[in-house]
């Protein structure tokens, strides 16, 4: 059996706050193979972006392991990490604020080539590479001398994509890359991401709060609630047989035009969201869960309930 391209084991990220320790990411484990996409869904503030940043070491992990191409990169020093970042890139949610407004499109895309691959290419080779990646990402060369404020949202996101792709990474964390875009532009960017994945064998971690988007692009899906994974399954399993009460609530909130599905059960969440600062050891979803009972105060681990299906809920023990 071959190793996955990237694997996280019991990854944790805590932040010290004046009120105590904020458990932003708690014991998260996953695997992603080449050419596969892991969707990460959950409400704002559930820790999904922190998870993506911790995997790339933009945040230092509090504990756990991140294995990339068979090595634990959390043990790497700064110089070795720089080499790894050639293979691991990130695309951000807001293309406008993630691009330097003082730099031209050409220079934005050239920057990682100059920083990460300086020794690998001659000046001409680097220029050719930037031209090729602009074309691949659907950016006509006439945009090379434009600035981010002169582009629409879709083109700005294409610049972000070209900037990530130009160093030929093998793994990309896509942090809500389409949520700031119009629906028609969203589809263009998603299809471009999928085409590039097929052409280059890329692995994606795709972070979003939009279940329709995650259904379109993912192979496996991880549902996060308050820093923990509550359900992890193949896309088909998750959408056809959701088990965790939180996943059911998320799925039941997807709008539908299918009249036969209008009568489906709606799960409405009530109750207070618990605090992620110094959380109690029990199920963090309990204050909002209609099925909460005494045993839910005990710790709740992710368990395998079917092939390619894991859930963290005392109902399925
Ligand atoms: Fe609800 Fe208990 Fe399951 Fe948590 S463990 S989701 S409180 S039933």
């Amino acid at each position: 059996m071959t190793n996955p391209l990237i694997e996280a084991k019991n990854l944790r990220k805590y932040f010290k706050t004046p009120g105590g320790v904020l458990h932003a990411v708690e014991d998260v484990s996953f695997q992603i193979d080449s050419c596969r996409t892991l969707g990460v869904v959950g409400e704002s503030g559930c820790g999904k972006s922190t998870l993506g940043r911790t995997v790339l070491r933009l945040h230092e992990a509090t504990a756990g392991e991140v294995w990339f191409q068979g090595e634990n990169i959390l043990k790497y020093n700064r110089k070795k990490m720089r080499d790894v970042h050639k293979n691991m890139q990130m695309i951000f949610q807001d293309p406008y604020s993630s691009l330097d407004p003082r730099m031209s499109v050409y220079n934005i895309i050239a920057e990682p080539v100059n920083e990460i691959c300086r020794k690998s290419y001659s000046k001409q080779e680097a220029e050719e590479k930037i031209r090729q990646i602009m074309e691949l990402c659907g950016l006509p060369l006439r945009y090379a001398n434009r600035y981010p404020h002169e582009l629409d949202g879709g083109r700005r996101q294409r610049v972000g994509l070209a900037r990530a792709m130009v160093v030929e990474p093998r793994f990309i964390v896509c942090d809500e890359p389409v949520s700031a875009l119009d629906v028609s532009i969203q589809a263009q960017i998603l299809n471009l991401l999928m085409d590039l994945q097929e052409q280059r064998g890329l692995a994606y971690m795709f972070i979003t709060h939009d279940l329709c988007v995650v259904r379109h692009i993912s192979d496996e899906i991880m549902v996060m609630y308050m820093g923990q994974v509550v359900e992890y399954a193949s896309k088909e399993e998750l959408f056809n047989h959701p088990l965790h009460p939180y996943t059911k609530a998320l799925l039941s909130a997807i709008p539908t035009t299918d009249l036969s599905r209008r009568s489906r059960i709606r799960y409405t969440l009530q109750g207070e969201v618990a605090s992620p600062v110094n959380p109690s050891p029990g199920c963090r979803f309990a204050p909002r869960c209609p099925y909460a009972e005494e045993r839910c105060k005990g710790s709740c681990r992710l368990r395998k309930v079917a092939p390619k299906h894991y859930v963290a809920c005392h109902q399925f023990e």
Side-chain angles (χ1 to χ4, degrees), residues 171-190:
F171 169 63
I172 300 183
V173 173
C174 307
D175 187 3
E176 304 256 16
V178 296
S179 57
L181 305 175
D182 292 343
V183 175
S184 61
I185 311 288
Q186 279 188 6
Q188 288 175 24
I189 298 293
L190 289 176

Side-chain angles (χ1 to χ4, degrees), residues 196-212:
L196 291 169
Q197 179 174 54
E198 204 177 304
Q199 287 169 28
R200 299 187 160 203
L202 295 164
Y204 294 138
M205 172 186 271
F206 196 97
I207 295 166
T208 182
H209 61 273
D210 187 330
L211 283 145
C212 297

Side-chain angles (χ1 to χ4, degrees), residues 244-245 283 285-286 289 291-293 296 300 312-315:
H244 196 280
C283 173
F285 187 61
C289 180
Y291 311 105
E293 49 186 86
C296 302
C300 194
C313 174
H314 287 300
Q315 288 184 96

Side-chain angles (χ1 to χ4, degrees), residues 9 15 35 63-64 70 102 112 121 123 169 174 199 207 222-223 238 240 259 274 285 295 297 307:
K9 295 181 185 173
F15 295 96
C35 254
R102 295 161 303 178
Y121 305 116
K123 193 165 177 275
C174 307
Q199 287 169 28
I207 295 166
M222 205 158 78
V223 182
L238 194 99
N240 294 331
L259 292 179
F285 187 61
R295 63 179 172 161
K297 290 181 182 163

Side-chain angles (χ1 to χ4, degrees), residues 6-298:
I6 183 151
E7 180 173 16
K9 295 181 185 173
N10 302 318
L11 198 61
R12 276 188 203 164
K13 178 63 192 169
Y14 294 170
F15 295 96
K16 280 189 186 151
T17 70
V21 180
L22 190 152
H23 294 220
V25 173
E26 189 93 89
D27 289 332
V28 173
S29 302
F30 63 82
Q31 298 184 343
I32 314 176
D33 290 321
S34 297
C35 254
R36 305 287 288 179
T37 300
L38 172 68
V40 183
V41 288
E43 294 163 311
S44 301
C46 71
K48 46 193 195 309
S49 295
T50 307
L51 172 66
R53 286 170 171 270
T54 308
V55 169
L56 296 185
R57 288 192 65 186
L58 301 177
H59 290 318
E60 285 303 333
T62 305
E65 299 170 8
V66 176
W67 291 77
F68 181 67
Q69 301 188 127
E71 293 195 36
N72 183 4
I73 62 167
L74 296 195
K75 293 198 183 308
Y76 280 7
N77 60 24
R78 194 182 279 248
K79 184 172 173 297
K80 260 188 134 180
M81 229 18 243
R82 198 182 165 101
D83 295 337
V84 171
H85 276 150
K86 181 179 177 310
N87 282 312
M88 300 170 86
Q89 289 283 308
M90 186 156 187
I91 303 170
F92 296 92
Q93 173 179 6
D94 181 356
Y96 197 59
S97 59
S98 64
L99 304 177
D100 187 335
R102 295 161 303 178
M103 290 172 81
S104 67
V105 166
Y106 184 90
N107 286 334
I108 288 170
I109 300 171
E111 193 177 41
V113 181
N114 297 333
E115 279 184 8
I116 303 174
C117 315
R118 201 172 13 202
K119 293 185 190 134
S120 316
Y121 305 116
S122 66
K123 193 165 177 275
Q124 286 79 4
E125 283 171 336
E127 282 174 8
E128 182 52 29
K129 213 161 185 31
I130 292 160
R131 264 199 293 276
Q132 281 174 2
I133 205 73
M134 284 184 69
E135 226 165 86
L136 198 64
C137 293
L139 281 167
L141 288 177
R142 66 176 184 279
Y143 288 102
N145 293 321
R146 304 252 180 111
Y147 287 83
H149 73 272
E150 297 177 282
L151 307 178
D152 59 35
R155 290 211 174 83
R156 279 200 290 265
Q157 196 53 288
R158 285 173 193 267
V159 175
L161 195 50
R163 182 184 158 90
M165 291 286 176
V166 74
V167 292
E168 298 182 13
R170 298 197 61 202
F171 169 63
I172 300 183
V173 173
C174 307
D175 187 3
E176 304 256 16
V178 296
S179 57
L181 305 175
D182 292 343
V183 175
S184 61
I185 311 288
Q186 279 188 6
Q188 288 175 24
I189 298 293
L190 289 176
N191 291 336
L192 177 59
L193 280 166
M194 291 166 85
D195 289 347
L196 291 169
Q197 179 174 54
E198 204 177 304
Q199 287 169 28
R200 299 187 160 203
L202 295 164
Y204 294 138
M205 172 186 271
F206 196 97
I207 295 166
T208 182
H209 61 273
D210 187 330
L211 283 145
C212 297
V213 167
V214 90
R215 185 176 205 168
H216 184 69
I217 199 161
S218 305
D219 298 295
E220 282 88 35
I221 299 175
M222 205 158 78
V223 182
M224 286 187 73
Y225 187 80
M226 277 184 61
Q228 294 179 317
V229 178
V230 295
E231 194 156 3
Y232 183 9
S234 65
K235 171 172 67 178
E236 294 74 22
E237 263 291 298
L238 194 99
F239 277 89
N240 294 331
H241 308 290
L243 295 177
H244 196 280
Y246 178 60
T247 312
K248 287 181 179 170
L250 287 181
L251 295 188
S252 76
I254 300 175
T256 178
T257 51
D258 181 351
L259 292 179
S260 64
R261 297 190 65 233
R262 287 262 169 100
S263 57
R264 72 197 195 281
I265 299 170
R266 289 267 166 84
Y267 295 85
T268 310
L269 295 180
Q270 287 169 344
E272 290 286 310
V273 179
S275 169
V277 177
N278 301 332
S280 58
C283 173
R284 294 183 188 175
F285 187 61
R288 299 169 83 188
C289 180
Y291 311 105
E293 49 186 86
E294 195 54 31
R295 63 179 172 161
C296 302
K297 290 181 182 163

